[in-house]
Amino acid sequence: MSQDPTARHVTATAPGKVNLSLRVGPPGLDGYHPVATVYLAVSLRETVTAIVRPDARITVAPSQRQVSLVDTADVPWDERNLAHRAAVHLRETLGLEADTHGVDLEVAKQVPVAGGMGGGSADAAAALLACAALWETGLTRSQLAEIAAPLGADVPFAVMGGAAVGLGTGADLTPVAARRPVHLVLVPADAGLSTPVVFRTLDELRRDGVLTDAAGAPEVNQDVLRALTAADPLDLATAMDNDLQTPAVALFPDLSDMLDLGLDEGALGGMVSGSGPTLLFVTHTEQDALRLATAIQERTGVDALPVRGPVPGSHVL
Ligand SMILES: C[C@](O)(CO)[C@H](O)COP(=O)(O)OP(=O)(O)OC[C@H]1O[C@@H](n2ccc(N)nc2=O)[C@H](O)[C@@H]1O
Ligand SMILES: Nc1ncnc2c1ncn2[C@@H]1O[C@H](COP(=O)(O)OP(=O)(O)OP(=O)(O)O)[C@@H](O)[C@H]1O
């Protein structure tokens, strides 16, 4: 971490996401699954400050300037961290001289860790923006989204934000115009789920005939797109789907009761977010979201989070 408070630095933020639809095909030879997903960037943001170093080192640490709102005990604060990997990747991709492009990265998190909300991906996106500005690269957001793809399927969306269809591994993006904000309540779990394990469990459930086998690349859920563009929360709640929900619930059976509880308390619909275990509930209005979050908190003690989307992608503060 930088000891010099006057050192040149740039701060950037990036949003967490939910998938309003996540359809998954059979795995390819590289183990990746083709998806057709509808992403929504939500109002929980990661913040990364990139501080110039006079040498070649890249470091990453929890921020001292801003508190994290989630438990970061399970985050690797070393070269495995996605923010660290993003800085290395940008430096290598642009062929920048390593000995003059060291950086200290400080991360403040709001997105639950390993919750299926792309928190690590948002850290990578914010680190890319912050380093690109610190190193005066002149790259556009679209160029950075392209550079981001090898860092993870969700990272380009964390750069672009808003709402978007994601194809391929999830990195081929087409923006979607949402007419009005969608109001959601997110319910984090007290433990994480590993994304590759959830995908693998889906494959096993399909192989064993518990779930219908998927043939070829999946198709985009047009009903979700229509509900988003028409700003109809009830249609959205009815149309949303997630192929990773059954494997996530199989791995984390308590989710089933929490889904019932959210619906019982008046949510229009509820679903696992991405690879889980965070749950998302759709409500009509912001007030309904606040009411539902309070009711869930009172009945279970879990800190439910009212959020809205779409929100902007990564940008420099
Ligand atoms: C579940 C989602 O969050 C939905 O948006 C994404 O599909 C996962 O995005 P991510 O965490 O950025 O994914 P990556 O870091 O690229 O991949 C983590 C692991 O998830 C699995 N993976 C991911 C994306 C994809 N289309 N097929 C996969 O099978 C692979 O096992 C991969 O090794
Ligand atoms: N900056 C980071 N923040 C959080 N986790 C990180 C970070 N860098 C690496 N990781 C590792 O990545 C794993 C997944 O973390 P993340 O919070 O991104 O999960 P997720 O939201 O389920 O991901 P996704 O929805 O993109 O699959 C963590 O268990 C952690 O070991």
Side-chain angles (χ1 to χ4, degrees):
M1 200 192 317
S2 174
Q3 299 302 315
D4 175 6
T6 63
R8 205 158 58 81
H9 62 271
V10 175
T11 299
T13 80
K17 59 83 190 169
V18 296
N19 305 78
L20 295 173
S21 171
L22 178 53
R23 295 179 170 179
V24 180
L29 292 176
D30 60 356
Y32 267 78
H33 298 67
V35 302
T37 188
V38 181
Y39 289 111
L40 183 74
V42 298
S43 51
L44 289 180
R45 299 193 76 87
E46 305 285 88
T47 306
V48 175
T49 299
I51 306 150
V52 78
R53 280 187 70 102
D55 57 21
R57 282 194 68 205
I58 294 177
T59 71
V60 63
S63 174
Q64 305 295 317
R65 303 160 197 249
Q66 205 180 343
V67 282
S68 283
L69 301 183
V70 293
D71 183 2
T72 59
D74 290 337
V75 175
W77 297 109
D78 55 24
E79 68 290 339
R80 289 168 299 169
N81 192 292
L82 280 162
H84 189 289
R85 287 178 45 209
V88 171
H89 177 62
L90 183 66
R91 195 167 74 175
E92 285 177 2
T93 305
L94 299 181
L96 300 174
E97 269 183 59
D99 34 340
T100 51
H101 289 84
V103 66
D104 291 316
L105 300 167
E106 295 184 3
V107 180
K109 294 182 71 70
Q110 294 188 338
V111 178
V113 175
M117 291 191 54
S121 303
D123 294 339
L128 271 184
L129 266 277
C131 290
L134 188 73
W135 295 334
E136 298 173 358
T137 61
L139 290 169
T140 64
R141 188 189 302 271
S142 302
Q143 286 170 321
L144 284 167
E146 245 173 70
I147 289 173
L151 291 165
D154 286 340
V155 187
F157 179 70
V159 173
M160 296 307 287
V165 168
L167 298 176
T169 64
D172 304 340
L173 300 175
T174 307
V176 175
R179 274 216 348 238
R180 271 203 295 270
V182 175
H183 297 287
L184 302 171
V185 173
L186 301 174
V187 183
D190 52 9
L193 272 177
S194 151
T195 304
V197 170
V198 179
F199 273 102
R200 220 166 29 242
T201 305
L202 173 69
D203 297 338
E204 286 163 10
L205 292 171
R206 284 176 169 169
R207 191 196 55 211
D208 297 345
V210 179
L211 290 173
T212 315
D213 225 348
E219 286 182 8
V220 179
N221 184 332
Q222 297 294 336
D223 293 335
V224 161
L225 291 184
R226 262 191 294 276
L228 253 188
T229 50
D232 187 325
L234 184 56
D235 279 357
L236 177 64
T238 311
M240 64 189 187
D241 59 358
N242 181 0
D243 284 347
L244 295 183
Q245 170 151 317
T246 303
V249 173
L251 291 162
F252 209 124
D254 288 354
L255 294 180
S256 187
D257 286 345
M258 189 62 95
L259 277 168
D260 289 345
L261 190 143
L263 297 176
D264 191 44
E265 288 294 343
L268 298 176
M271 195 170 74
V272 166
S273 165
S275 51
T278 303
L279 299 179
L280 69 90
F281 292 103
V282 180
T283 62
H284 264 296
T285 63
E286 187 174 7
Q287 264 181 343
D288 289 345
L290 286 170
R291 238 189 328 262
L292 177 62
T294 306
I296 291 174
Q297 195 151 11
E298 281 173 3
R299 277 184 63 179
T300 64
V302 174
D303 263 333
L305 308 164
V307 300
R308 74 188 150 73
V311 300
S314 57
H315 56 267
V316 168
L317 293 176

